[in-house]
Amino acid sequence: MSFLSTSLGRRGFIAALAVAASVFSSGLAAAETVKVAAIYTLPVEQQWISRIHKALNAAAARGDIEYTFSENVANTDYERVMREYAEAGQQLIVGEVFGLERAARKVAGDYPGTAFLMGSSFGPSGANFAVFDNWIHEPSYLTGIVAGETTESNVIGMVGGYAIPEVNRLMNAFMDGARSVNPDVRFLVSFIDSWYDPPKAKESAFAMMDAGADIMYAERFGVSDAAVERGVKAIGNVIDTSGDYPDTILASALWHMEPTIDRAIVAVADGTFEAADYGQYSFMGYGGGSLVIDNALVSPEIREAVAAVEQDIRDGLFRVNVNDAAPVSDK
């Protein structure tokens, strides 16, 4: 007779097996819950960062990840925070490294067992440094159609943060969309050289309105506030702010980070994560980008024209041009 059957008896043995199975099952579930840390250089309320934060919170609410984050991290502290999270055993570290590409990639190389998914102007590197970006040039083009058809002065103002590829391609796509339906439209373009300075963006917007702009492209916070004060219309970017600016936002190009985040989480969980460019998952076809239009402000005829182009994009019959060059004002 075995030791187990002597000491526990049949019922005890079965009970022990049940306990062991329960422990194994719990351990397996815990292992499948990925530990994720995010590092943000701005508050999580900032529009670009808010999209990443929202997607990670959604994954945490489903129980897919354990999520922690640091916000308002200065570039000078970013490398240190990356290392601290990696040392703490975080399996996936998410953030944006536009101002410290070399340092971030060095950290990733020092922690080959950690997955890194970073907003970047460049490509993936090593075995574990993947990149992403808000490739919402497609819905940006569609908002340009709305603006080009709606403007009465044929002058559109555009206020951006920094003239980097991530911003430039959206602004250029918007301009292309407007020109596709209105060749007479002119653009006034400025950059405030800040990711978050609403007063400066507002001041720049006022100057454009004084020069005749009757529609403003609000790439930064502050522009829509100026539009409300002057009674002109605006185009939103990345998030839907129409509820905050009623009777002002004609349309917005929205970014959805969930397709990107969810794929990275699955890859980490099943051990297949590798350095890759996740940018495509921000395309409309993957659900990473979308368009929202205010039906009360935009006519049915314009909405119908926009819907036709959107369907062509989704069907692969029309490709929005990607232009990373800094846009400039028309002379």
Side-chain angles (χ1 to χ4, degrees):
M1 187 175 289
S2 71
F3 173 77
L4 280 174
S5 60
T6 302
S7 303
L8 299 176
R10 179 176 176 79
R11 291 182 180 177
F13 179 53
I14 292 174
L17 285 178
V19 171
S22 175
V23 171
F24 178 77
S25 177
S26 298
L28 183 60
E32 291 174 349
T33 302
V34 178
K35 294 182 178 180
V36 180
I39 311 170
Y40 305 121
T41 58
L42 293 169
V44 292
E45 292 80 12
Q46 190 266 352
Q47 67 242 58
W48 198 87
I49 287 172
S50 72
R51 301 292 85 190
I52 308 168
H53 188 57
K54 177 177 180 288
L56 288 169
N57 274 323
R62 294 194 306 266
D64 295 343
I65 65 172
E66 295 177 20
Y67 175 44
T68 186
F69 67 92
S70 298
E71 58 184 336
N72 289 314
V73 177
N75 281 356
T76 52
D77 291 330
Y78 207 95
E79 180 179 353
R80 173 185 59 79
V81 177
M82 286 180 70
R83 292 185 181 279
E84 288 178 355
Y85 276 136
E87 291 285 350
Q90 298 296 328
Q91 296 164 276
L92 173 63
I93 298 176
V94 181
E96 82 279 18
V97 295
F98 299 107
L100 57 150
E101 294 278 359
R102 293 185 184 278
R105 290 160 194 267
K106 182 179 185 302
V107 173
D110 292 341
Y111 296 93
T114 303
F116 294 84
L117 178 64
M118 295 290 176
S120 171
S121 298
F122 301 98
S125 63
N128 61 334
F129 191 91
V131 298
F132 69 88
D133 193 8
N134 63 329
W135 286 82
I136 55 171
H137 55 296
E138 296 166 326
S140 295
Y141 181 94
L142 299 176
T143 63
I145 295 176
V146 173
E149 291 279 24
T150 305
T151 179
E152 296 179 358
S153 68
N154 283 336
V155 180
I156 297 176
M158 307 183 70
V159 180
Y162 289 96
I164 64 172
E166 291 71 22
V167 174
N168 298 344
R169 71 174 67 107
L170 306 186
M171 296 175 76
N172 281 317
F174 171 81
M175 296 164 79
D176 287 346
R179 287 171 175 147
S180 73
V181 296
N182 184 352
D184 296 325
V185 71
R186 293 176 51 250
F187 294 95
L188 304 175
V189 181
S190 72
F191 294 91
I192 62 173
D193 293 330
S194 172
W195 290 131
Y196 191 77
D197 192 340
K200 189 173 182 179
K202 190 175 181 180
E203 180 182 356
S204 182
F206 281 144
M208 293 178 179
M209 296 174 198
D210 289 340
D214 65 348
I215 294 178
M216 294 299 306
Y217 178 83
E219 200 273 326
R220 291 291 103 189
F221 282 150
V223 177
S224 295
D225 297 276
V228 169
E229 290 190 26
R230 292 288 183 87
V232 307
K233 304 306 182 188
I235 297 293
N237 181 58
V238 176
I239 62 176
D240 183 3
T241 58
S242 58
D244 298 320
Y245 305 102
D247 197 37
T248 299
I249 309 296
L250 296 169
S252 298
L254 307 184
W255 184 33
H256 308 288
M257 189 62 177
E258 286 79 1
T260 300
I261 289 294
D262 292 348
R263 281 173 172 78
I265 291 170
V266 169
V268 172
D270 63 20
T272 61
F273 186 90
E274 59 184 11
D277 189 340
Y278 280 68
Q280 64 180 323
Y281 301 120
S282 289
F283 286 21
M284 295 184 78
Y286 286 100
S290 70
L291 171 74
V292 61
I293 295 179
D294 190 322
N295 293 342
L297 300 179
V298 180
S299 72
E301 293 77 17
I302 295 176
R303 299 201 307 269
E304 184 178 345
V306 170
V309 179
E310 179 178 352
Q311 191 59 54
D312 283 346
I313 291 173
R314 293 184 180 278
D315 291 342
L317 298 175
F318 179 74
R319 182 173 294 178
V320 177
N321 184 47
V322 174
N323 182 358
D324 289 344
V328 295
S329 298
D330 291 317
K331 296 180 179 180

